[in-house]
Amino acid sequence: MNVRVGMGGRGLGEPLGIGELARRHALLPLRIFLGVTFVYAGLDKLTDGSFLRASGDGSIGATMHAVRDSSAIPALVDLALKAPVGFGYAIAVGELLVGLGTLLGLWGRLAALGGALISLSLWLTMSWQTTPYYLGNDLVYLMAWLPLLLGGAASFSADALLASRRRRIM
């Protein structure tokens, strides 16, 4: 199967093999999954009546108190506990912005860095005690962000559109 496109040094209409097409778009399913997941996670936190509270069942404050002694970096949890509601909003808005940036492919590497940092902080605090380690999802999310951090949002993205416009102007 060949697809005719005008990208990557090929002339317009020259065939592009299915293998090359797959390589160009290999990160797109990961980008869609992580983008949708982080948008959903951010919106879920922002609309959950109990999450954005300092105490009570399901609150960010109660969750942080519960994991404080089992986290890899208790001092990080202590810092967040100084303003748990503000920290909850920061995580929720961060997830939302990372998810939207990833879906749109806008500043793709920066969005991936934000996603990796959120996942790293959640792994070191919330799921650090998970045994065996591979059952904790935050570590898997951290690893999933790394290809996007390295590769960026190369296809079907605002970054690619902006790069194309810059090339035409120059």
Side-chain angles (χ1 to χ4, degrees), residues 112-155:
L113 176 62
L117 291 173
I118 290 170
S119 297
L120 176 63
S121 67
L122 292 174
W123 176 54
L124 292 173
T125 56
M126 302 299 216
S127 61
W128 180 256
Q129 74 282 359
T130 303
T131 307
Y133 76 92
Y134 54 81
L135 293 178
N137 63 349
D138 296 314
L139 180 59
V140 176
Y141 280 106
L142 172 60
M143 293 299 120
W145 282 110
L146 297 181
L148 293 178
L149 181 60
L150 295 171
S155 64

Side-chain angles (χ1 to χ4, degrees), residues 1-3 5 7 16-26:
M1 174 180 183
N2 288 326
V3 177
V5 296
M7 297 172 59
L16 180 63
I18 191 72
E20 178 63 23
L21 189 63
R23 275 188 291 284
R24 286 188 183 187
H25 304 300

Side-chain angles (χ1 to χ4, degrees), residues 18-43:
I18 191 72
E20 178 63 23
L21 189 63
R23 275 188 291 284
R24 286 188 183 187
H25 304 300
L27 294 178
L28 192 57
L30 184 60
R31 211 177 95 208
I32 292 168
F33 171 75
L34 289 172
V36 167
T37 300
F38 269 57
V39 166
Y40 179 80
L43 289 175

Side-chain angles (χ1 to χ4, degrees), residues 4-5 15 22 24 26 32 35 46 51 80 133 147 156 158 169:
R4 297 183 180 279
V5 296
R24 286 188 183 187
I32 292 168
L46 289 172
F51 177 77
Y133 76 92
F156 301 108
I169 292 172

Side-chain angles (χ1 to χ4, degrees), residues 44-104:
D44 188 45
K45 287 173 180 66
L46 289 172
T47 58
D48 183 344
S50 61
F51 177 77
L52 293 171
R53 294 191 178 157
S55 62
D57 289 343
S59 70
I60 184 67
T63 301
M64 289 190 301
H65 279 293
V67 300
R68 191 241 177 244
D69 292 333
S70 62
S71 73
I73 307 174
L76 187 61
V77 178
D78 289 339
L79 181 64
L81 280 169
K82 291 182 182 202
V85 175
F87 179 74
Y89 273 108
I91 289 291
V93 171
E95 287 175 338
L96 184 59
L97 292 175
V98 161
L100 290 173
T102 301
L103 280 175
L104 296 173

